[in-house]
Amino acid sequence: MSNSTILVTGAANDIGRAASKALAESGVTVILLDKDVAGLESLYDEIEAAGFPEAAIYPMDLNGATGDDYEQLANTVADNFEQLDGLLHCAAMLGVMSRVDDYDIENWFKVMQTNLNAPFLLTRALLPLLRKSQAASILFCADGLGSKAKAYQGAYGVSKAGSKALMSILAYELENSSIRVNSYDPGIVATGIRRQAFPAEETDALHSPDDVAGKIREIMGQREAHGKQLSA
């Protein structure tokens, strides 16, 4: 993976942050995308201090971004890099735990925008750059709820099911190209979303983001897998 370029969403915290560092350690130039500018800057400093390839920062709020914003992002990446070798979708929003009867409509749209519409728009905008790579990889961070729905998961559960479907559709459409498309379910990980969903849960026994970052790096770099939901 050395000398490749990969864009990571949700890079400022949790799994996105850990995966970005793991990729940088392997010689990848990582484009760090998140709305948390302070988090991006501290991650950039960590990568630089470790002597890894210099990262790039792209502050962006996926929830408020329009189609034009994604095209501008693609143009900016194209101006600075000849190609894109990977796209890792880690950004996510939980929303509220509520039955459908009471689910707040505005919150529903925000969750769907961040978790499903944004990956579609970003992937669509970056496909021309990904096609320039001889071996590109698109990876969606999945959740078991995408395969088995549960009560009160609301927009989060629906968005994760939609994300899995988007991955499969892309995989079929790109099966004869140089782009591999997969999703990865890391299992139960101590993240901000997990703490928000289960605030009283003991986290000592849970996997940390660092525990799953190596697997993400492995999937991004392998040639064989395509169109599969992989797990920890």
Side-chain angles (χ1 to χ4, degrees):
M1 300 181 69
S2 181
N3 300 319
S4 61
T5 303
I6 295 175
L7 188 148
V8 181
T9 72
N13 299 286
D14 295 328
I15 293 175
R17 187 183 187 95
S20 296
K21 288 192 288 185
L23 291 167
E25 185 180 12
S26 296
V28 174
T29 297
V30 187
I31 304 172
L32 310 170
L33 187 149
D34 204 294
K35 66 181 179 181
D36 181 357
V37 177
L40 291 178
E41 291 175 344
S42 67
L43 176 57
Y44 176 93
D45 290 342
E46 288 182 22
I47 290 173
E48 184 177 41
F52 303 149
E54 183 179 6
I57 290 179
Y58 200 97
M60 187 174 185
D61 185 352
L62 298 178
N63 196 266
T66 66
D68 290 341
D69 293 322
Y70 290 99
E71 293 301 325
Q72 181 179 341
L73 165 61
N75 291 334
T76 301
V77 174
D79 288 341
N80 289 275
F81 302 96
E82 294 183 0
Q83 64 190 38
L84 190 63
D85 303 292
L87 174 56
L88 175 58
H89 293 290
C90 287
M93 177 182 178
L94 177 64
V96 296
M97 307 280 283
S98 169
R99 64 177 189 165
V100 171
D101 307 56
D102 308 314
Y103 207 99
D104 179 74
I105 295 174
E106 183 178 355
N107 192 271
W108 180 281
F109 283 122
K110 286 182 177 180
V111 173
M112 296 299 287
Q113 180 68 18
T114 298
N115 296 1
L116 185 56
N117 295 339
F120 155 70
L121 290 165
L122 184 58
T123 301
R124 179 180 179 275
L126 293 176
L127 274 173
L129 279 170
L130 289 161
R131 286 193 171 97
K132 292 183 177 182
S133 173
Q134 294 183 352
S137 176
I138 301 172
L139 184 63
F140 294 83
C141 282
D143 190 300
L145 293 175
S147 302
K148 186 177 181 180
K150 295 182 179 180
Y152 312 118
Q153 299 299 334
Y156 181 80
V158 173
S159 68
K160 286 302 181 179
S163 177
K164 183 180 179 182
L166 176 59
M167 179 275 290
S168 297
I169 291 169
L170 279 169
Y172 280 120
E173 293 179 356
L174 298 171
E175 62 182 343
N176 295 318
S177 75
S178 61
I179 305 174
R180 289 168 294 107
V181 188
N182 296 288
S183 61
Y184 170 61
D185 179 4
I188 301 175
V189 182
T191 64
I193 283 182
R194 184 72 187 182
R195 289 189 293 273
Q196 183 182 352
F198 303 98
E201 182 180 46
E202 292 290 340
T203 60
D204 293 344
L206 302 184
H207 290 299
S208 72
D210 289 334
D211 292 335
V212 301
K215 181 65 175 180
I216 291 174
R217 176 175 58 188
E218 175 187 333
I219 297 170
M220 294 293 292
Q222 67 189 14
R223 299 291 181 92
E224 294 79 12
H226 181 69
K228 299 178 181 178
Q229 178 159 311
L230 308 164
S231 59

